[in-house]
Structures are given as structure tokens and as C-alpha cells.
Amino acid sequence: NPGEDFRAALEDLLARGEPDIYAQTVRRLDHLVLDVLTEHTGGNQVRMSRLLGITRNTLRAKLKALDASDT
């Protein structure tokens, strides 16, 4: 169950006493959603942005922010 996996990750953050849990959780969820949509659309940003209900510029900003947080 994906919800249970997400809950376990959140509980792990809590157990470790991590700061900024909300931002970390949103970043993880964004990563998951964008990874799945990238696979589903073959990386087509126009299709991805339509499926997400956001502009392509917003999508690009999210992708850039996630890429920066991975380094």
C-alpha cells in the first residue's frame, strides 16, 4: 500500500527528529509524482503539465528545484 510506505517514511523522519518535515515530505511526494508522470508521458512536459493542472513553466521550476535538491 503506497499510503503505508509514505506513512512509514514520515514516521522515520519523526523518529530521527528531522527538522522541516513538511518540506521534506512535500519534496518526496513531488519526486514520486513527477517520476511516475515522466515515465507515463515519456518525458513530454506539455502532457505532464496538463495532467498535473499546472503550467509548463511551473512544471519546469519543480523539476529544476528537485534536481537541485538531489545534489
Side-chain angles (χ1 to χ4, degrees):
N1 179 350
E4 290 174 7
D5 291 342
F6 202 72
R7 182 182 182 97
L10 179 56
E11 288 174 350
D12 181 58
L13 290 171
L14 288 167
R16 290 184 293 156
E18 291 285 332
D20 207 12
I21 290 174
Y22 182 78
Q24 288 188 53
T25 304
V26 169
R27 194 167 31 254
R28 286 181 183 199
L29 183 57
D30 277 350
H31 235 304
L32 175 61
V33 169
L34 294 175
D35 284 350
V36 169
L37 282 175
T38 298
E39 290 176 20
H40 179 77
T41 64
N44 184 308
Q45 292 184 359
V46 171
R47 287 186 60 213
M48 288 174 68
S49 62
R50 285 183 185 151
L51 289 168
L52 290 167
I54 60 177
T55 67
R56 197 170 71 176
N57 286 339
T58 299
L59 173 61
R60 286 181 177 169
K62 284 186 173 295
L63 292 168
K64 185 176 180 178
L66 287 176
D67 189 43
S69 73
D70 286 342
T71 57

